């Protein structure tokens, strides 16, 4: 049966090898009748891709997909030694039932997306509501872009990764925010960075104390702002580096604790709170 073999068809691995070789893929217009592919998935649009048992595919180009499923016994290597990018189209899915090795690759969401299975990512850009499931980890940088947030489930940060607020506008982190909501385990970032003229508003809608702690550094880049609102303290295990603006809460308990050094080169408004202890 011939395949439609168009950019948004179904694709499945045919053999072990590089992503960017059509010889390693089969294509189907109906996910039932398969033929040798004449193009590679995700090159021009959102293909629906499965990596089958016994096959190892190495990502050696940037791709955009509607869905990716790594079947049991299948393996995806996230880059070929050069940083590669995989973008999930809006409402995209990333399912790992096999082996995913992130290497230096980046996975981005164009909008909402769903992740399932055990997934250790390196860099991730989030541009919609992304549910990372119950077993996802970040080893590089999790960047919250414009419109991005974590839906339902937090991620686990390995030792050294960065949670980066990079949306270029205002972002509210409250009691229901899952990217930064814990003092240990999932939701507890190592480094936190606020960049690209972003404003991070901590605890804007609740008088319930929502303490925010990070194990490493808090970096506020020039042009960016962190507002520590209402109840709850801010605890930085490493250095607090303020090139932009840090405003503490005027509410009792909205204090700042720094385990390392405070580099206050920007604007720091303590608002009569305890700090730098």
């Amino acid at each position: 049966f011939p395949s439609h073999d168009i950019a948004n068809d179904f694709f499945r691995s045919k053999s072990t090898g590089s992503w960017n070789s059509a010889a390693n893929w089969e294509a189907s217009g109906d996910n039932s009748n398969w033929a040798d592919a004449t193009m590679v998935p995700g090159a021009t649009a959102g293909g629906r891709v499965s990596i089958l048992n016994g096959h190892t595919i190495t990502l050696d180009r940037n791709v955009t997909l509607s869905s990716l499923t790594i079947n049991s016994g299948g393996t995806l290597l996230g880059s070929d030694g050069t940083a590669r990018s995989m973008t999930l189209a809006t409402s995209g899915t990333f399912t790992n039932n096999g082996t995913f090795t992130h290497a230096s690759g980046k996975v981005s969401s164009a909008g909402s997306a769903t992740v399932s299975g055990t997934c250790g990512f390196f860099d991730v850009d989030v541009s919609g509501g992304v549910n990372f499931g119950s077993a996802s980890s970040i080893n590089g940088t999790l960047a919250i872009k414009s419109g991005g947030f974590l839906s339902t489930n937090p991620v686990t940060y390995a030792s050294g990764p960065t949670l980066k607020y990079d949306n270029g506008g205002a972002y509210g982190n409250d009691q229901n925010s899952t990217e930064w909501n814990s003092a240990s385990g999932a939701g507890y970032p190592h480094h936190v960075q606020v960049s690209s003229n972003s404003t991070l508003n901590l605890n804007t809608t609740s008088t319930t104390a929502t303490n925010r702690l990070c194990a490493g550094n808090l970096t506020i880049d020039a042009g960016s702002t962190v507002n520590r609102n209402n109840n709850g303290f801010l605890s930085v295990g490493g250095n607090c580096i303020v090139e932009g603006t840090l405003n503490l809460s005027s509410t009792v308990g909205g204090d700042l604790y720094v385990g390392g050094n405070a580099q206050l080169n920007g604007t720091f408004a303590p608002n009569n709170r305890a700090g730098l202890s």
Side-chain angles (χ1 to χ4, degrees):
F1 296 94
S3 167
H4 290 236
D5 204 19
I6 58 176
N8 61 350
D9 266 354
F10 297 90
F11 289 82
R12 69 183 185 186
S13 61
K14 179 183 175 183
S15 57
T16 289
S18 66
W19 188 293
N20 201 32
S21 173
N24 294 322
W25 300 101
E26 293 180 323
S28 171
D30 59 6
N31 202 26
S32 179
N33 298 305
W34 296 89
D36 291 344
T38 59
M39 62 171 59
V40 299
T44 59
R48 292 163 286 187
V49 177
S50 296
I51 298 176
L52 302 186
N53 177 30
H55 298 160
T56 296
I57 297 294
T58 300
L59 188 64
D60 59 342
R61 63 165 300 141
N62 298 336
V63 295
T64 298
L65 307 177
S66 297
S67 65
L68 170 71
T69 300
I70 307 170
N71 289 351
S72 177
T75 299
L76 173 64
L77 302 180
S79 81
D80 58 343
T82 298
R84 303 295 181 181
S85 177
M86 174 183 295
T87 300
L88 296 177
T90 299
S91 301
T93 60
F94 188 109
T95 303
N96 181 29
N97 295 318
T99 301
F100 171 59
T101 302
H102 58 71
S104 58
K106 176 187 288 187
V107 176
S108 301
S109 72
S112 60
T114 302
V115 176
S116 58
T118 300
C119 299
F121 297 102
F122 189 66
D123 290 341
V124 176
D125 287 354
V126 173
S127 298
V130 178
N131 185 347
F132 278 94
S134 60
S136 290
S137 60
I138 302 296
N139 295 268
T141 298
L142 171 62
I144 307 294
K145 299 291 189 177
S146 179
F149 63 97
L150 269 58
S151 171
T152 309
N153 290 295
V155 295
T156 297
Y157 300 91
S159 178
T162 298
L163 166 61
K164 187 176 185 180
Y165 293 92
D166 200 34
N167 63 319
Y171 185 94
N173 173 280
D174 291 294
Q175 66 271 23
N176 295 321
S177 299
T178 59
E179 82 284 350
W180 186 11
N181 68 347
S182 179
S184 63
Y188 177 50
H190 193 86
H191 300 306
V192 176
Q193 183 176 2
V194 185
S195 300
S196 304
N197 299 312
S198 301
T199 296
L200 173 61
N201 294 307
L202 298 172
N203 199 22
T204 57
T205 62
S206 173
T207 57
T208 301
T210 55
N211 301 324
R212 290 295 177 259
L213 303 88
C214 65
N217 300 332
L218 170 64
T219 302
I220 306 171
D221 290 339
S224 293
T225 299
V226 173
N227 296 314
R228 166 73 270 191
N229 303 289
N230 297 315
N231 294 333
F233 59 76
L234 177 60
S235 178
V236 180
N239 300 324
C240 183
I241 305 165
V242 180
E243 301 292 340
T245 300
L246 173 59
N247 297 315
L248 296 186
S249 173
S250 59
T251 303
V252 173
D255 303 322
L256 171 66
Y257 301 95
V258 179
N261 298 318
Q263 302 174 31
L264 306 179
N265 300 319
T267 300
F268 174 56
N271 289 318
N272 296 317
R273 302 277 66 82
L276 309 181
S277 56

